[in-house]
Amino acid sequence: MLKKPVIASLVLITVGIIVGALVVSNFSGGVSPGWAGGGDVQLGGPVPVTTVQADLKSLNSAFVEVAKSVTPSVVAITVTTEGKSDGKSQRDFFHDFFGPDFRLPEPGPSQGAGSGVIISPDGYIATNNHVIEGAAEDGIEVVLNTKARYKAKLVGTDPTTDLAVIKIDAKDLQAAALGNSENVQVGEWVLAVGNPLGLTSTVTAGIVSALGRNIRIIQDSYGIEDFIQTDAAINPGNSGGALVNLRGELIGINTAIATTNARYQGYGFAVPVNLLKTVAADLIKEGKVRRGYIGVSIQAVDQTMADAVGLGKARGVFVQSIVGGSAAEDAGLKETDVILTIDGIEVNQPNELQRHIATRHPGDVVVLSIFRGGNIIEKRVTLKARDEDTRTVPASEKRNEKEPDTVSPSIVQLESLGMTVRSMTETERKKYGVENGVVVSDVKQFGEAYKRQIGENDVIVEVDRKEVSSPAELRKTVESRKTGESVLLRLKRPDGTAYYTAIQVQAE
């Protein structure tokens, strides 16, 4: 039998153990369940979706696999410039698209960054011309996805497509698989891989939102813009990086963004990979691009122009002028021809024709389907190299043998066209280098002539391919047309530039 002091001691010890256990459980591990109830901490809730559709799983897996496979083929590029300012160069125009972080030439050395894509296991890398433009000798550094660093040498550049190729001394690199940009479709999923804003190996996703974009960013009269447009996020530093499809194939080189705040706003642009293939092959083989040229000045055909030339439906590209001694002249192309197809492929925008020609070399033969005078004819054109001294062939301007029309008024107001014309003086004929024509003396704001970009002091020398010598002749032709019908005009600007335009007759 235990004595009372012993029992009291045991009670105290038992109480102490219980309190100690409570204290330890309360303070030894994060959150306490409280004194009432006790038990383990329960964080989070049940999984809301217990089954995921197979196609969604496949799409998710595709994104993951493409990211894994493509990222090793994309490199970071750092460029040190020589610091020689070249004034209003192409870099200034890209600054408008890439904002204040884009590298500009300044006094003294400076650095900029971009991306590149490995296109061969032995170290050839594609990027943008504007990424490496102005690089100092030994000023291009490449960092691989493995963090390995290399000095790169410049192989060659092509400013007309904003592409360039550099090379590092490395072997067994993982080259990107090159796809076929002719197969790209609006709406398909794509991933952009690059190094935006200093964040290496970044992958973003979106869709192809448009094809054949011309955003007028390449400041070269022979510039070729046929960009793939995407809403995958592209920011400064993405330039030269990869745009790939869900097969992991390279379909474009990310080049520019459209923005008002120097950051991503939903629209990015990539050079199609088929153009890259031709440019890169030429640069690697010869250090320069051997590109064939037709030698035409062209514009898109809208419905007004289609009506004026008798085409019916707006399609093809209209030939404004022919370059003297060019492949086009040799093949017998003429002003006012409408090129419908090249090698069986429809062309409805100037850059579509340029894109096809840009993949060909001097000596290659292309077949054009042409609409002329109500008939469709075929022309085989042997492309030539570009001659920097070629000139646009002036249209034939024969001497008008008619006596001056002394009865007709010297000024005629053409309300249906939204402009006023007057007779030319002998001094003006000499100045413009023409033997006939009428001067546009006034253009009504927002009228038809205004919409067709006819300017004051332009000279109308032909209407529907026939010479016009007086305001009265022009008025007679216009009045013979019904409202809604179109006429084809050939004009000369004060700077000597000749051009065609079509204009629709409106109700007065």
Side-chain angles (χ1 to χ4, degrees), residues 196-214:
L197 306 173
L199 303 172
T200 58
S201 301
T202 295
V203 180
T204 57
I207 64 168
V208 173
S209 51
L211 297 170
R213 287 298 197 207
N214 183 345

Side-chain angles (χ1 to χ4, degrees), residues 156-351:
T157 66
D158 181 30
T160 59
T161 58
D162 193 34
L163 291 173
V165 174
I166 59 177
K167 189 178 188 305
I168 59 175
D169 187 12
K171 300 292 183 182
D172 301 322
L173 299 176
Q174 183 171 325
L178 305 186
N180 183 354
S181 49
E182 291 291 342
N183 296 333
V184 175
Q185 298 182 65
V186 173
E188 72 172 281
W189 282 101
V190 290
L191 278 71
V193 187
N195 306 283
L197 306 173
L199 303 172
T200 58
S201 301
T202 295
V203 180
T204 57
I207 64 168
V208 173
S209 51
L211 297 170
R213 287 298 197 207
N214 183 345
I215 56 176
R216 296 178 178 84
I217 195 172
I218 298 178
Q219 300 302 308
D220 186 303
S221 59
Y222 290 91
I224 299 166
E225 295 194 19
D226 189 51
F227 294 120
I228 298 169
Q229 180 180 310
T230 178
D231 63 356
I234 296 175
N235 277 293
N238 271 117
S239 287
L243 187 70
V244 298
N245 59 22
L246 291 192
R247 289 169 53 87
E249 297 171 323
L250 183 73
I251 61 170
I253 296 294
N254 296 321
T255 299
I257 57 176
T259 180
T260 59
N261 66 2
R263 292 295 183 269
Y264 168 74
Q265 285 185 299
Y267 301 103
F269 304 93
V271 177
V273 70
N274 286 15
L275 194 54
L276 168 67
K277 292 175 186 177
T278 301
V279 170
D282 279 356
L283 292 178
I284 292 170
K285 290 178 182 177
E286 303 184 28
K288 64 179 181 179
V289 176
R290 296 174 54 252
R291 180 169 294 130
Y293 288 89
I294 289 183
V296 291
S297 174
I298 53 180
Q299 71 176 62
V301 176
D302 60 13
Q303 191 57 52
T304 301
M305 180 65 79
D307 291 341
V309 299
L311 189 56
K313 177 184 176 182
R315 58 191 178 120
V317 290
F318 181 85
V319 178
Q320 281 277 359
S321 58
I322 307 291
V323 174
S326 68
E329 186 180 52
D330 291 349
L333 270 70
K334 297 181 179 180
E335 293 176 353
T336 74
D337 281 349
V338 177
I339 301 173
L340 302 177
T341 68
I342 176 171
D343 292 336
I345 300 173
E346 289 187 3
V347 288
N348 294 308
Q349 294 293 334
N351 60 336

